[in-house]
Amino acid sequence: MSQPLVGVDLVPLARVGELLDPDIGPVLRRFLSTEELAASRTPDGAPDRAGIAGRLAAKEAVFKLLGAVGRPVPWQGIEVLRGPGGRPGVRLSGTAAELAQHAGLGPIDVSISHDAGFAIAVAAATTSRPTHLAGSVTSKGMP
């Protein structure tokens, strides 16, 4: 019997501004893949702060589905890319893919929205494994 799982995360756009600060170096390369960075640009080539915040929120939301409490977020192993029609899609690799397999996750669906200085993302999947915890887990993976 499969059970639904949901993860959610909220990222302030101001936090992205801090991550883009040239004085702290290319920090976003730790969190976003080359393909994600390329997709996180405005038409004029500037960083899309709302898009970046949405991707970071989606990665955290997906991580919450993996049931890997106490482990570091495998940032590069969770990619949030544009799918058909511009809808966000998730691609897992490495440790993230292993954690998803161990958790018995089915396909992962994400939804991202941003407004009023925040981006929010929800990730959903089903699992064939019994879940023993009720409620939610908060991850503090982003510096």
Side-chain angles (χ1 to χ4, degrees), residues 3-4 35 39 51 55 80-81 84 97 100 109-110 112 115 123 129 131 135:
Q3 297 179 344
E35 197 171 345
R55 273 193 173 77
V80 180
L81 302 165
D109 195 19
V110 294
I112 302 169
D115 190 23
R129 311 223 190 243
T131 56

Side-chain angles (χ1 to χ4, degrees), residues 43-55:
D44 65 355
D48 175 11
R49 290 177 186 226
I52 292 168
R55 273 193 173 77

Side-chain angles (χ1 to χ4, degrees), residues 44-140:
D44 65 355
D48 175 11
R49 290 177 186 226
I52 292 168
R55 273 193 173 77
L56 294 173
K59 286 176 174 244
E60 286 270 5
V62 168
F63 179 69
K64 291 172 182 175
L65 296 178
L66 301 178
V69 177
R71 295 187 63 168
V73 177
W75 293 104
Q76 292 293 322
I78 303 170
E79 289 182 287
V80 180
L81 302 165
R82 286 191 185 110
R87 182 174 169 79
V90 175
R91 180 168 62 196
L92 302 178
S93 62
T95 301
E98 291 169 12
L99 290 168
Q101 183 177 16
H102 180 72
L105 294 185
I108 298 172
D109 195 19
V110 294
S111 181
I112 302 169
S113 186
H114 38 79
D115 190 23
F118 291 91
I120 189 168
V122 176
T126 58
T127 180
S128 56
R129 311 223 190 243
T131 56
H132 299 289
L133 298 176
S136 64
V137 175
T138 301
S139 144
K140 298 291 183 192

Side-chain angles (χ1 to χ4, degrees), residues 20-41:
L20 290 170
D21 184 339
D23 293 335
I24 60 173
V27 174
L28 274 179
R29 292 192 185 284
R30 274 187 36 216
F31 302 115
L32 300 178
S33 70
T34 302
E35 197 171 345
E36 289 173 309
L37 285 167
S40 297
R41 297 264 174 212

